[in-house]
Amino acid sequence: YLADINKLNEYLYELTGVRPDILRFPGGSATANATPTVMKEIIAKVTERGYLYYDWDVVSGDDTPTVYEPWHLAERILNGVKEKDHAIVLLHDSNGPRTTPQAVEIVIDKLSKEEYRFEALTNQVEPVHIKTDRLQ
């Protein structure tokens, strides 16, 4: 896992000249793709290397084989961000026909009118971690 992170970060550095210091685990920090013991070890290793890891607190629903209409995804996001001071929304890109970009346009338009701000995710943002008993 760490070798993959290093390989990806070298590639990103070659492309951008920037070394990433934040990451999101595939499936999140509470992923079922690794045992809780292995995930705890991975979290400890990436943290030792200076990374902050982020999960999300709003799910768009665009991670299924079903391609939802943009308004459906937008509605999930809009409902998810209500009453949050800060939100990290989980969105995906893929090779298939996806409606996520159109949903994001709807969300940005609506939330901009409600005076929400959109900011880049940097290491200055307080991390969101999925709460689960798996990693206790």
mmCIF file with all atom_site columns, all heavy atoms in Angstrom, residues 42-68:
data_model
loop_
_atom_site.group_PDB
_atom_site.id
_atom_site.type_symbol
_atom_site.label_atom_id
_atom_site.label_alt_id
_atom_site.label_comp_id
_atom_site.label_asym_id
_atom_site.label_entity_id
_atom_site.label_seq_id
_atom_site.pdbx_PDB_ins_code
_atom_site.Cartn_x
_atom_site.Cartn_y
_atom_site.Cartn_z
_atom_site.occupancy
_atom_site.B_iso_or_equiv
_atom_site.pdbx_formal_charge
_atom_site.auth_seq_id
_atom_site.auth_comp_id
_atom_site.auth_asym_id
_atom_site.auth_atom_id
_atom_site.pdbx_PDB_model_num
ATOM 1   N N   . ILE A 1 42 ? -1.867  0.812  8.513   1.00 0.00 ? 42 ILE A N   1
ATOM 2   C CA  . ILE A 1 42 ? -1.718  1.722  7.370   1.00 0.00 ? 42 ILE A CA  1
ATOM 3   C C   . ILE A 1 42 ? -1.894  3.167  7.828   1.00 0.00 ? 42 ILE A C   1
ATOM 4   O O   . ILE A 1 42 ? -1.106  4.048  7.462   1.00 0.00 ? 42 ILE A O   1
ATOM 5   C CB  . ILE A 1 42 ? -2.713  1.363  6.243   1.00 0.00 ? 42 ILE A CB  1
ATOM 6   C CG1 . ILE A 1 42 ? -2.332  0.015  5.622   1.00 0.00 ? 42 ILE A CG1 1
ATOM 7   C CG2 . ILE A 1 42 ? -2.753  2.466  5.187   1.00 0.00 ? 42 ILE A CG2 1
ATOM 8   C CD1 . ILE A 1 42 ? -3.377  -0.525 4.656   1.00 0.00 ? 42 ILE A CD1 1
ATOM 9   N N   . ILE A 1 43 ? -2.923  3.411  8.642   1.00 0.00 ? 43 ILE A N   1
ATOM 10  C CA  . ILE A 1 43 ? -3.166  4.764  9.150   1.00 0.00 ? 43 ILE A CA  1
ATOM 11  C C   . ILE A 1 43 ? -1.946  5.254  9.934   1.00 0.00 ? 43 ILE A C   1
ATOM 12  O O   . ILE A 1 43 ? -1.495  6.393  9.748   1.00 0.00 ? 43 ILE A O   1
ATOM 13  C CB  . ILE A 1 43 ? -4.448  4.815  10.012  1.00 0.00 ? 43 ILE A CB  1
ATOM 14  C CG1 . ILE A 1 43 ? -5.680  4.663  9.117   1.00 0.00 ? 43 ILE A CG1 1
ATOM 15  C CG2 . ILE A 1 43 ? -4.508  6.103  10.837  1.00 0.00 ? 43 ILE A CG2 1
ATOM 16  C CD1 . ILE A 1 43 ? -6.983  4.463  9.876   1.00 0.00 ? 43 ILE A CD1 1
ATOM 17  N N   . ALA A 1 44 ? -1.398  4.402  10.781  1.00 0.00 ? 44 ALA A N   1
ATOM 18  C CA  . ALA A 1 44 ? -0.220  4.792  11.567  1.00 0.00 ? 44 ALA A CA  1
ATOM 19  C C   . ALA A 1 44 ? 0.959   5.117  10.651  1.00 0.00 ? 44 ALA A C   1
ATOM 20  O O   . ALA A 1 44 ? 1.655   6.120  10.858  1.00 0.00 ? 44 ALA A O   1
ATOM 21  C CB  . ALA A 1 44 ? 0.154   3.671  12.538  1.00 0.00 ? 44 ALA A CB  1
ATOM 22  N N   . LYS A 1 45 ? 1.174   4.302  9.624   1.00 0.00 ? 45 LYS A N   1
ATOM 23  C CA  . LYS A 1 45 ? 2.320   4.515  8.722   1.00 0.00 ? 45 LYS A CA  1
ATOM 24  C C   . LYS A 1 45 ? 2.170   5.803  7.908   1.00 0.00 ? 45 LYS A C   1
ATOM 25  O O   . LYS A 1 45 ? 3.131   6.556  7.752   1.00 0.00 ? 45 LYS A O   1
ATOM 26  C CB  . LYS A 1 45 ? 2.495   3.319  7.778   1.00 0.00 ? 45 LYS A CB  1
ATOM 27  C CG  . LYS A 1 45 ? 2.900   2.056  8.475   1.00 0.00 ? 45 LYS A CG  1
ATOM 28  C CD  . LYS A 1 45 ? 4.297   2.146  9.019   1.00 0.00 ? 45 LYS A CD  1
ATOM 29  C CE  . LYS A 1 45 ? 4.729   0.822  9.614   1.00 0.00 ? 45 LYS A CE  1
ATOM 30  N NZ  . LYS A 1 45 ? 5.986   0.905  10.310  1.00 0.00 ? 45 LYS A NZ  1
ATOM 31  N N   . VAL A 1 46 ? 0.968   6.074  7.368   1.00 0.00 ? 46 VAL A N   1
ATOM 32  C CA  . VAL A 1 46 ? 0.823   7.299  6.569   1.00 0.00 ? 46 VAL A CA  1
ATOM 33  C C   . VAL A 1 46 ? 0.895   8.534  7.467   1.00 0.00 ? 46 VAL A C   1
ATOM 34  O O   . VAL A 1 46 ? 1.431   9.556  7.056   1.00 0.00 ? 46 VAL A O   1
ATOM 35  C CB  . VAL A 1 46 ? -0.455  7.306  5.688   1.00 0.00 ? 46 VAL A CB  1
ATOM 36  C CG1 . VAL A 1 46 ? -0.456  6.160  4.702   1.00 0.00 ? 46 VAL A CG1 1
ATOM 37  C CG2 . VAL A 1 46 ? -1.725  7.309  6.509   1.00 0.00 ? 46 VAL A CG2 1
ATOM 38  N N   . THR A 1 47 ? 0.402   8.402  8.685   1.00 0.00 ? 47 THR A N   1
ATOM 39  C CA  . THR A 1 47 ? 0.479   9.519  9.626   1.00 0.00 ? 47 THR A CA  1
ATOM 40  C C   . THR A 1 47 ? 1.939   9.794  10.005  1.00 0.00 ? 47 THR A C   1
ATOM 41  O O   . THR A 1 47 ? 2.362   10.951 10.046  1.00 0.00 ? 47 THR A O   1
ATOM 42  C CB  . THR A 1 47 ? -0.374  9.224  10.875  1.00 0.00 ? 47 THR A CB  1
ATOM 43  O OG1 . THR A 1 47 ? -1.731  8.991  10.455  1.00 0.00 ? 47 THR A OG1 1
ATOM 44  C CG2 . THR A 1 47 ? -0.353  10.385 11.850  1.00 0.00 ? 47 THR A CG2 1
ATOM 45  N N   . GLU A 1 48 ? 2.711   8.725  10.237  1.00 0.00 ? 48 GLU A N   1
ATOM 46  C CA  . GLU A 1 48 ? 4.142   8.888  10.535  1.00 0.00 ? 48 GLU A CA  1
ATOM 47  C C   . GLU A 1 48 ? 4.864   9.599  9.398   1.00 0.00 ? 48 GLU A C   1
ATOM 48  O O   . GLU A 1 48 ? 5.830   10.324 9.630   1.00 0.00 ? 48 GLU A O   1
ATOM 49  C CB  . GLU A 1 48 ? 4.803   7.513  10.726  1.00 0.00 ? 48 GLU A CB  1
ATOM 50  C CG  . GLU A 1 48 ? 4.492   6.831  12.020  1.00 0.00 ? 48 GLU A CG  1
ATOM 51  C CD  . GLU A 1 48 ? 5.006   5.387  12.043  1.00 0.00 ? 48 GLU A CD  1
ATOM 52  O OE1 . GLU A 1 48 ? 5.783   4.987  11.139  1.00 0.00 ? 48 GLU A OE1 1
ATOM 53  O OE2 . GLU A 1 48 ? 4.614   4.655  12.967  1.00 0.00 ? 48 GLU A OE2 1
ATOM 54  N N   . ARG A 1 49 ? 4.409   9.385  8.177   1.00 0.00 ? 49 ARG A N   1
ATOM 55  C CA  . ARG A 1 49 ? 5.046   9.998  7.010   1.00 0.00 ? 49 ARG A CA  1
ATOM 56  C C   . ARG A 1 49 ? 4.539   11.415 6.742   1.00 0.00 ? 49 ARG A C   1
ATOM 57  O O   . ARG A 1 49 ? 4.871   12.008 5.730   1.00 0.00 ? 49 ARG A O   1
ATOM 58  C CB  . ARG A 1 49 ? 4.837   9.102  5.792   1.00 0.00 ? 49 ARG A CB  1
ATOM 59  C CG  . ARG A 1 49 ? 5.703   7.850  5.847   1.00 0.00 ? 49 ARG A CG  1
ATOM 60  C CD  . ARG A 1 49 ? 5.293   6.858  4.766   1.00 0.00 ? 49 ARG A CD  1
ATOM 61  N NE  . ARG A 1 49 ? 6.210   5.737  4.648   1.00 0.00 ? 49 ARG A NE  1
ATOM 62  C CZ  . ARG A 1 49 ? 6.300   4.727  5.497   1.00 0.00 ? 49 ARG A CZ  1
ATOM 63  N NH1 . ARG A 1 49 ? 5.526   4.696  6.572   1.00 0.00 ? 49 ARG A NH1 1
ATOM 64  N NH2 . ARG A 1 49 ? 7.153   3.735  5.298   1.00 0.00 ? 49 ARG A NH2 1
ATOM 65  N N   . GLY A 1 50 ? 3.702   11.939 7.629   1.00 0.00 ? 50 GLY A N   1
ATOM 66  C CA  . GLY A 1 50 ? 3.280   13.326 7.524   1.00 0.00 ? 50 GLY A CA  1
ATOM 67  C C   . GLY A 1 50 ? 1.995   13.579 6.755   1.00 0.00 ? 50 GLY A C   1
ATOM 68  O O   . GLY A 1 50 ? 1.650   14.724 6.489   1.00 0.00 ? 50 GLY A O   1
ATOM 69  N N   . TYR A 1 51 ? 1.285   12.536 6.404   1.00 0.00 ? 51 TYR A N   1
ATOM 70  C CA  . TYR A 1 51 ? 0.025   12.711 5.683   1.00 0.00 ? 51 TYR A CA  1
ATOM 71  C C   . TYR A 1 51 ? -1.131  12.929 6.652   1.00 0.00 ? 51 TYR A C   1
ATOM 72  O O   . TYR A 1 51 ? -1.155  12.366 7.742   1.00 0.00 ? 51 TYR A O   1
ATOM 73  C CB  . TYR A 1 51 ? -0.324  11.468 4.859   1.00 0.00 ? 51 TYR A CB  1
ATOM 74  C CG  . TYR A 1 51 ? 0.580   11.216 3.698   1.00 0.00 ? 51 TYR A CG  1
ATOM 75  C CD1 . TYR A 1 51 ? 1.621   10.308 3.791   1.00 0.00 ? 51 TYR A CD1 1
ATOM 76  C CD2 . TYR A 1 51 ? 0.377   11.869 2.486   1.00 0.00 ? 51 TYR A CD2 1
ATOM 77  C CE1 . TYR A 1 51 ? 2.457   10.059 2.715   1.00 0.00 ? 51 TYR A CE1 1
ATOM 78  C CE2 . TYR A 1 51 ? 1.203   11.628 1.411   1.00 0.00 ? 51 TYR A CE2 1
ATOM 79  C CZ  . TYR A 1 51 ? 2.244   10.725 1.531   1.00 0.00 ? 51 TYR A CZ  1
ATOM 80  O OH  . TYR A 1 51 ? 3.060   10.493 0.466   1.00 0.00 ? 51 TYR A OH  1
ATOM 81  N N   . LEU A 1 52 ? -2.075  13.749 6.219   1.00 0.00 ? 52 LEU A N   1
ATOM 82  C CA  . LEU A 1 52 ? -3.382  13.810 6.856   1.00 0.00 ? 52 LEU A CA  1
ATOM 83  C C   . LEU A 1 52 ? -4.315  13.011 5.957   1.00 0.00 ? 52 LEU A C   1
ATOM 84  O O   . LEU A 1 52 ? -4.260  13.143 4.730   1.00 0.00 ? 52 LEU A O   1
ATOM 85  C CB  . LEU A 1 52 ? -3.891  15.245 6.950   1.00 0.00 ? 52 LEU A CB  1
ATOM 86  C CG  . LEU A 1 52 ? -3.257  16.141 7.997   1.00 0.00 ? 52 LEU A CG  1
ATOM 87  C CD1 . LEU A 1 52 ? -3.836  17.549 7.896   1.00 0.00 ? 52 LEU A CD1 1
ATOM 88  C CD2 . LEU A 1 52 ? -3.489  15.586 9.396   1.00 0.00 ? 52 LEU A CD2 1
ATOM 89  N N   . TYR A 1 53 ? -5.159  12.193 6.561   1.00 0.00 ? 53 TYR A N   1
ATOM 90  C CA  . TYR A 1 53 ? -6.115  11.455 5.739   1.00 0.00 ? 53 TYR A CA  1
ATOM 91  C C   . TYR A 1 53 ? -7.521  11.973 6.010   1.00 0.00 ? 53 TYR A C   1
ATOM 92  O O   . TYR A 1 53 ? -7.836  12.414 7.107   1.00 0.00 ? 53 TYR A O   1
ATOM 93  C CB  . TYR A 1 53 ? -6.000  9.938  5.965   1.00 0.00 ? 53 TYR A CB  1
ATOM 94  C CG  . TYR A 1 53 ? -6.488  9.450  7.299   1.00 0.00 ? 53 TYR A CG  1
ATOM 95  C CD1 . TYR A 1 53 ? -7.801  8.994  7.456   1.00 0.00 ? 53 TYR A CD1 1
ATOM 96  C CD2 . TYR A 1 53 ? -5.653  9.429  8.403   1.00 0.00 ? 53 TYR A CD2 1
ATOM 97  C CE1 . TYR A 1 53 ? -8.251  8.536  8.683   1.00 0.00 ? 53 TYR A CE1 1
ATOM 98  C CE2 . TYR A 1 53 ? -6.087  8.967  9.625   1.00 0.00 ? 53 TYR A CE2 1
ATOM 99  C CZ  . TYR A 1 53 ? -7.391  8.525  9.756   1.00 0.00 ? 53 TYR A CZ  1
ATOM 100 O OH  . TYR A 1 53 ? -7.839  8.073  10.976  1.00 0.00 ? 53 TYR A OH  1
ATOM 101 N N   . TYR A 1 54 ? -8.308  11.949 4.967   1.00 0.00 ? 54 TYR A N   1
ATOM 102 C CA  . TYR A 1 54 ? -9.655  12.489 5.012   1.00 0.00 ? 54 TYR A CA  1
ATOM 103 C C   . TYR A 1 54 ? -10.655 11.433 4.587   1.00 0.00 ? 54 TYR A C   1
ATOM 104 O O   . TYR A 1 54 ? -10.404 10.664 3.657   1.00 0.00 ? 54 TYR A O   1
ATOM 105 C CB  . TYR A 1 54 ? -9.784  13.690 4.058   1.00 0.00 ? 54 TYR A CB  1
ATOM 106 C CG  . TYR A 1 54 ? -9.032  14.900 4.534   1.00 0.00 ? 54 TYR A CG  1
ATOM 107 C CD1 . TYR A 1 54 ? -7.659  15.005 4.359   1.00 0.00 ? 54 TYR A CD1 1
ATOM 108 C CD2 . TYR A 1 54 ? -9.696  15.930 5.178   1.00 0.00 ? 54 TYR A CD2 1
ATOM 109 C CE1 . TYR A 1 54 ? -6.961  16.107 4.817   1.00 0.00 ? 54 TYR A CE1 1
ATOM 110 C CE2 . TYR A 1 54 ? -8.995  17.040 5.629   1.00 0.00 ? 54 TYR A CE2 1
ATOM 111 C CZ  . TYR A 1 54 ? -7.634  17.124 5.450   1.00 0.00 ? 54 TYR A CZ  1
ATOM 112 O OH  . TYR A 1 54 ? -6.956  18.208 5.906   1.00 0.00 ? 54 TYR A OH  1
ATOM 113 N N   . ASP A 1 55 ? -11.780 11.428 5.270   1.00 0.00 ? 55 ASP A N   1
ATOM 114 C CA  . ASP A 1 55 ? -12.944 10.690 4.817   1.00 0.00 ? 55 ASP A CA  1
ATOM 115 C C   . ASP A 1 55 ? -13.947 11.745 4.358   1.00 0.00 ? 55 ASP A C   1
ATOM 116 O O   . ASP A 1 55 ? -13.542 12.802 3.882   1.00 0.00 ? 55 ASP A O   1
ATOM 117 C CB  . ASP A 1 55 ? -13.499 9.811  5.945   1.00 0.00 ? 55 ASP A CB  1
ATOM 118 C CG  . ASP A 1 55 ? -12.598 8.616  6.250   1.00 0.00 ? 55 ASP A CG  1
ATOM 119 O OD1 . ASP A 1 55 ? -12.093 7.991  5.302   1.00 0.00 ? 55 ASP A OD1 1
ATOM 120 O OD2 . ASP A 1 55 ? -12.410 8.301  7.437   1.00 0.00 ? 55 ASP A OD2 1
ATOM 121 N N   . TRP A 1 56 ? -15.208 11.507 4.513   1.00 0.00 ? 56 TRP A N   1
ATOM 122 C CA  . TRP A 1 56 ? -16.240 12.424 4.044   1.00 0.00 ? 56 TRP A CA  1
ATOM 123 C C   . TRP A 1 56 ? -17.397 12.377 5.025   1.00 0.00 ? 56 TRP A C   1
ATOM 124 O O   . TRP A 1 56 ? -17.547 11.445 5.806   1.00 0.00 ? 56 TRP A O   1
ATOM 125 C CB  . TRP A 1 56 ? -16.717 12.022 2.647   1.00 0.00 ? 56 TRP A CB  1
ATOM 126 C CG  . TRP A 1 56 ? -17.118 10.576 2.620   1.00 0.00 ? 56 TRP A CG  1
ATOM 127 C CD1 . TRP A 1 56 ? -18.366 10.058 2.888   1.00 0.00 ? 56 TRP A CD1 1
ATOM 128 C CD2 . TRP A 1 56 ? -16.271 9.450  2.367   1.00 0.00 ? 56 TRP A CD2 1
ATOM 129 N NE1 . TRP A 1 56 ? -18.332 8.683  2.813   1.00 0.00 ? 56 TRP A NE1 1
ATOM 130 C CE2 . TRP A 1 56 ? -17.051 8.292  2.493   1.00 0.00 ? 56 TRP A CE2 1
ATOM 131 C CE3 . TRP A 1 56 ? -14.926 9.309  2.053   1.00 0.00 ? 56 TRP A CE3 1
ATOM 132 C CZ2 . TRP A 1 56 ? -16.541 7.008  2.313   1.00 0.00 ? 56 TRP A CZ2 1
ATOM 133 C CZ3 . TRP A 1 56 ? -14.427 8.028  1.874   1.00 0.00 ? 56 TRP A CZ3 1
ATOM 134 C CH2 . TRP A 1 56 ? -15.228 6.910  2.002   1.00 0.00 ? 56 TRP A CH2 1
ATOM 135 N N   . ASP A 1 57 ? -18.233 13.402 4.976   1.00 0.00 ? 57 ASP A N   1
ATOM 136 C CA  . ASP A 1 57 ? -19.431 13.394 5.811   1.00 0.00 ? 57 ASP A CA  1
ATOM 137 C C   . ASP A 1 57 ? -20.704 13.637 5.002   1.00 0.00 ? 57 ASP A C   1
ATOM 138 O O   . ASP A 1 57 ? -21.784 13.735 5.566   1.00 0.00 ? 57 ASP A O   1
ATOM 139 C CB  . ASP A 1 57 ? -19.312 14.370 6.984   1.00 0.00 ? 57 ASP A CB  1
ATOM 140 C CG  . ASP A 1 57 ? -19.001 15.791 6.578   1.00 0.00 ? 57 ASP A CG  1
ATOM 141 O OD1 . ASP A 1 57 ? -18.868 16.063 5.378   1.00 0.00 ? 57 ASP A OD1 1
ATOM 142 O OD2 . ASP A 1 57 ? -18.870 16.641 7.473   1.00 0.00 ? 57 ASP A OD2 1
ATOM 143 N N   . VAL A 1 58 ? -20.558 13.679 3.684   1.00 0.00 ? 58 VAL A N   1
ATOM 144 C CA  . VAL A 1 58 ? -21.718 13.756 2.790   1.00 0.00 ? 58 VAL A CA  1
ATOM 145 C C   . VAL A 1 58 ? -21.440 12.820 1.613   1.00 0.00 ? 58 VAL A C   1
ATOM 146 O O   . VAL A 1 58 ? -20.382 12.898 0.996   1.00 0.00 ? 58 VAL A O   1
ATOM 147 C CB  . VAL A 1 58 ? -21.964 15.192 2.278   1.00 0.00 ? 58 VAL A CB  1
ATOM 148 C CG1 . VAL A 1 58 ? -23.125 15.233 1.290   1.00 0.00 ? 58 VAL A CG1 1
ATOM 149 C CG2 . VAL A 1 58 ? -22.214 16.146 3.446   1.00 0.00 ? 58 VAL A CG2 1
ATOM 150 N N   . VAL A 1 59 ? -22.401 11.962 1.328   1.00 0.00 ? 59 VAL A N   1
ATOM 151 C CA  . VAL A 1 59 ? -22.268 10.988 0.241   1.00 0.00 ? 59 VAL A CA  1
ATOM 152 C C   . VAL A 1 59 ? -23.195 11.395 -0.898  1.00 0.00 ? 59 VAL A C   1
ATOM 153 O O   . VAL A 1 59 ? -24.395 11.577 -0.693  1.00 0.00 ? 59 VAL A O   1
ATOM 154 C CB  . VAL A 1 59 ? -22.624 9.567  0.732   1.00 0.00 ? 59 VAL A CB  1
ATOM 155 C CG1 . VAL A 1 59 ? -22.556 8.567  -0.398  1.00 0.00 ? 59 VAL A CG1 1
ATOM 156 C CG2 . VAL A 1 59 ? -21.708 9.163  1.873   1.00 0.00 ? 59 VAL A CG2 1
ATOM 157 N N   . SER A 1 60 ? -22.644 11.513 -2.094  1.00 0.00 ? 60 SER A N   1
ATOM 158 C CA  . SER A 1 60 ? -23.446 11.912 -3.247  1.00 0.00 ? 60 SER A CA  1
ATOM 159 C C   . SER A 1 60 ? -24.287 10.763 -3.801  1.00 0.00 ? 60 SER A C   1
ATOM 160 O O   . SER A 1 60 ? -25.330 10.988 -4.387  1.00 0.00 ? 60 SER A O   1
ATOM 161 C CB  . SER A 1 60 ? -22.543 12.451 -4.356  1.00 0.00 ? 60 SER A CB  1
ATOM 162 O OG  . SER A 1 60 ? -21.736 11.395 -4.861  1.00 0.00 ? 60 SER A OG  1
ATOM 163 N N   . GLY A 1 61 ? -23.801 9.544  -3.663  1.00 0.00 ? 61 GLY A N   1
ATOM 164 C CA  . GLY A 1 61 ? -24.510 8.393  -4.207  1.00 0.00 ? 61 GLY A CA  1
ATOM 165 C C   . GLY A 1 61 ? -24.130 8.068  -5.635  1.00 0.00 ? 61 GLY A C   1
ATOM 166 O O   . GLY A 1 61 ? -24.801 7.282  -6.306  1.00 0.00 ? 61 GLY A O   1
ATOM 167 N N   . ASP A 1 62 ? -23.023 8.634  -6.110  1.00 0.00 ? 62 ASP A N   1
ATOM 168 C CA  . ASP A 1 62 ? -22.611 8.421  -7.501  1.00 0.00 ? 62 ASP A CA  1
ATOM 169 C C   . ASP A 1 62 ? -21.666 7.239  -7.667  1.00 0.00 ? 62 ASP A C   1
ATOM 170 O O   . ASP A 1 62 ? -21.064 7.063  -8.711  1.00 0.00 ? 62 ASP A O   1
ATOM 171 C CB  . ASP A 1 62 ? -21.974 9.691  -8.078  1.00 0.00 ? 62 ASP A CB  1
ATOM 172 C CG  . ASP A 1 62 ? -20.635 10.025 -7.447  1.00 0.00 ? 62 ASP A CG  1
ATOM 173 O OD1 . ASP A 1 62 ? -20.281 9.423  -6.404  1.00 0.00 ? 62 ASP A OD1 1
ATOM 174 O OD2 . ASP A 1 62 ? -19.937 10.893 -7.981  1.00 0.00 ? 62 ASP A OD2 1
ATOM 175 N N   . ASP A 1 63 ? -21.567 6.407  -6.648  1.00 0.00 ? 63 ASP A N   1
ATOM 176 C CA  . ASP A 1 63 ? -20.616 5.291  -6.680  1.00 0.00 ? 63 ASP A CA  1
ATOM 177 C C   . ASP A 1 63 ? -21.283 3.942  -6.962  1.00 0.00 ? 63 ASP A C   1
ATOM 178 O O   . ASP A 1 63 ? -20.755 2.908  -6.596  1.00 0.00 ? 63 ASP A O   1
ATOM 179 C CB  . ASP A 1 63 ? -19.853 5.225  -5.357  1.00 0.00 ? 63 ASP A CB  1
ATOM 180 C CG  . ASP A 1 63 ? -20.781 4.994  -4.173  1.00 0.00 ? 63 ASP A CG  1
ATOM 181 O OD1 . ASP A 1 63 ? -21.983 5.288  -4.278  1.00 0.00 ? 63 ASP A OD1 1
ATOM 182 O OD2 . ASP A 1 63 ? -20.295 4.529  -3.128  1.00 0.00 ? 63 ASP A OD2 1
ATOM 183 N N   . THR A 1 64 ? -22.412 3.961  -7.627  1.00 0.00 ? 64 THR A N   1
ATOM 184 C CA  . THR A 1 64 ? -23.133 2.727  -7.925  1.00 0.00 ? 64 THR A CA  1
ATOM 185 C C   . THR A 1 64 ? -23.140 2.483  -9.436  1.00 0.00 ? 64 THR A C   1
ATOM 186 O O   . THR A 1 64 ? -22.904 3.408  -10.218 1.00 0.00 ? 64 THR A O   1
ATOM 187 C CB  . THR A 1 64 ? -24.593 2.820  -7.443  1.00 0.00 ? 64 THR A CB  1
ATOM 188 O OG1 . THR A 1 64 ? -25.282 3.795  -8.237  1.00 0.00 ? 64 THR A OG1 1
ATOM 189 C CG2 . THR A 1 64 ? -24.675 3.211  -5.973  1.00 0.00 ? 64 THR A CG2 1
ATOM 190 N N   . PRO A 1 65 ? -23.442 1.253  -9.848  1.00 0.00 ? 65 PRO A N   1
ATOM 191 C CA  . PRO A 1 65 ? -23.567 0.996  -11.289 1.00 0.00 ? 65 PRO A CA  1
ATOM 192 C C   . PRO A 1 65 ? -24.740 1.756  -11.915 1.00 0.00 ? 65 PRO A C   1
ATOM 193 O O   . PRO A 1 65 ? -24.738 2.036  -13.103 1.00 0.00 ? 65 PRO A O   1
ATOM 194 C CB  . PRO A 1 65 ? -23.805 -0.510 -11.373 1.00 0.00 ? 65 PRO A CB  1
ATOM 195 C CG  . PRO A 1 65 ? -23.372 -1.068 -10.067 1.00 0.00 ? 65 PRO A CG  1
ATOM 196 C CD  . PRO A 1 65 ? -23.527 0.024  -9.061  1.00 0.00 ? 65 PRO A CD  1
ATOM 197 N N   . THR A 1 66 ? -25.725 2.107  -11.092 1.00 0.00 ? 66 THR A N   1
ATOM 198 C CA  . THR A 1 66 ? -26.865 2.884  -11.578 1.00 0.00 ? 66 THR A CA  1
ATOM 199 C C   . THR A 1 66 ? -26.417 4.313  -11.833 1.00 0.00 ? 66 THR A C   1
ATOM 200 O O   . THR A 1 66 ? -25.761 4.923  -10.992 1.00 0.00 ? 66 THR A O   1
ATOM 201 C CB  . THR A 1 66 ? -28.003 2.892  -10.535 1.00 0.00 ? 66 THR A CB  1
ATOM 202 O OG1 . THR A 1 66 ? -28.378 1.547  -10.253 1.00 0.00 ? 66 THR A OG1 1
ATOM 203 C CG2 . THR A 1 66 ? -29.201 3.683  -11.030 1.00 0.00 ? 66 THR A CG2 1
ATOM 204 N N   . VAL A 1 67 ? -26.763 4.834  -12.988 1.00 0.00 ? 67 VAL A N   1
ATOM 205 C CA  . VAL A 1 67 ? -26.451 6.227  -13.305 1.00 0.00 ? 67 VAL A CA  1
ATOM 206 C C   . VAL A 1 67 ? -27.689 7.054  -12.967 1.00 0.00 ? 67 VAL A C   1
ATOM 207 O O   . VAL A 1 67 ? -28.708 6.964  -13.637 1.00 0.00 ? 67 VAL A O   1
ATOM 208 C CB  . VAL A 1 67 ? -26.059 6.395  -14.789 1.00 0.00 ? 67 VAL A CB  1
ATOM 209 C CG1 . VAL A 1 67 ? -25.789 7.859  -15.095 1.00 0.00 ? 67 VAL A CG1 1
ATOM 210 C CG2 . VAL A 1 67 ? -24.845 5.537  -15.110 1.00 0.00 ? 67 VAL A CG2 1
ATOM 211 N N   . TYR A 1 68 ? -27.585 7.830  -11.899 1.00 0.00 ? 68 TYR A N   1
ATOM 212 C CA  . TYR A 1 68 ? -28.711 8.632  -11.439 1.00 0.00 ? 68 TYR A CA  1
ATOM 213 C C   . TYR A 1 68 ? -28.776 9.960  -12.176 1.00 0.00 ? 68 TYR A C   1
ATOM 214 O O   . TYR A 1 68 ? -27.758 10.486 -12.620 1.00 0.00 ? 68 TYR A O   1
ATOM 215 C CB  . TYR A 1 68 ? -28.598 8.893  -9.936  1.00 0.00 ? 68 TYR A CB  1
ATOM 216 C CG  . TYR A 1 68 ? -28.818 7.651  -9.109  1.00 0.00 ? 68 TYR A CG  1
ATOM 217 C CD1 . TYR A 1 68 ? -27.758 6.995  -8.521  1.00 0.00 ? 68 TYR A CD1 1
ATOM 218 C CD2 . TYR A 1 68 ? -30.096 7.147  -8.922  1.00 0.00 ? 68 TYR A CD2 1
ATOM 219 C CE1 . TYR A 1 68 ? -27.950 5.848  -7.760  1.00 0.00 ? 68 TYR A CE1 1
ATOM 220 C CE2 . TYR A 1 68 ? -30.306 6.004  -8.170  1.00 0.00 ? 68 TYR A CE2 1
ATOM 221 C CZ  . TYR A 1 68 ? -29.233 5.363  -7.594  1.00 0.00 ? 68 TYR A CZ  1
ATOM 222 O OH  . TYR A 1 68 ? -29.429 4.231  -6.852  1.00 0.00 ? 68 TYR A OH  1
#
